Structures are given as C-alpha cells and as structure tokens.
Amino acid sequence: MCEQIEALTRGVPHLIANLANVSALLYGAIPDVSWVGFYLREGEKLVLGPFQGKPACIEIASGRGVCGAAAATGEIQTVPDVRAFPGHIACDAGSASEAVAPIFGKEGVCAVLDIDSYTPGRFCDSDKEWLARVAAAISGVF
Ligand code: SME
C-alpha cells in the first residue's frame, strides 16, 4: 500500500486530488472496511476531507471522538468496539470498530486517516504497525 500511495501521488501538486485517490486506493485495498477517509485540521477543529463510504460528520471539535483523540495525542487509536470508546461519534450506526492514525505535517498533526468497519474487533493493537507506515507514506503529500 505504501508503494502504491507513493506511486499514485508522486509529482502531483494537488492535496485534495491526492487524498481523494489515496482514500479510494485504501478503500479497495484494506479488507472489510465500511469507510476510509481524512479529516483535515483547521485550527482546533477537524473538518471532513476526501473519503470513500457513506456521508459523514463534517466537523469534529478538538479532542472529540476517536479522530479527536488521535489528533490531540498524536497517537494511533485502534478501537475494537466503538460503543466502549467514551465520546465516540457515530456517523454511521452500523460502524462497529475503528482505527484512526494521525498524519504529521511541518507543524504537528495536520490530518487524520480514519478507517471504519462494520465488523466488531476488526482493528486492534497489532494494526498499529501498518497504520503508522501508511500514515507516514501519506504525510508525503502534505
Ligand atoms: N467515528 C469518528 C467520527 C468520524 S466517522 O467515523 C467517519 C470519531 O469518533 O471520531
């Protein structure tokens, strides 16, 4: 996936186009996911960016939900059961598990990669390694 991200975005000077293509790539490449996309940091908020899946929440306030936790801490969040995560934001009632990786730009977290699944337990700690590599590959487009 990292090689494909680099190949798809190399030399392309358009952030939204790159993130749109990366979300489509990951949505097709990662098994058993219902939503893959980006929230982009705007001041203290996160604002919906390019994604694949059902329409989603547009703004996430600082520190809110799984995305806000990843942005605030700079740490990858893997949530096997979203109902057990305090403050989880349910954009899609069918979503059962979630992973969010912060993406780092020149001034800290500039975006998060959010991945949802309808399958309980789809994401756990062992996913953090590949999520970190994918997030690092994506940071090259910012
Ligand atoms: N569930 C996320 C919100 C975004 S949607 O999943 C697309 C959260 O709690 O941050």
Side-chain angles (χ1 to χ4, degrees), residues 35 39 56-57 60 64-68 87-91 98 114 116:
W35 199 93
Y39 280 88
C57 323
I60 297 177
R64 293 282 320 281
V66 186
C67 291
H88 169 256
I89 302 164
C91 298
E98 179 164 0
D114 183 13
D116 294 315

Side-chain angles (χ1 to χ4, degrees), residues 41 104-110:
R41 180 169 221 146
F104 293 93
K106 293 187 191 83
E107 293 165 19
V109 177
C110 59

Side-chain angles (χ1 to χ4, degrees), residues 5 16 30 33 41 45 53 61 67 80 86 95 100 103 113 127 130 137:
I5 289 166
I16 297 299
I30 304 169
V33 294
R41 180 169 221 146
K45 285 183 302 200
C67 291
S95 182
V100 181
I103 296 164
L113 168 66
D127 292 295
W130 69 262

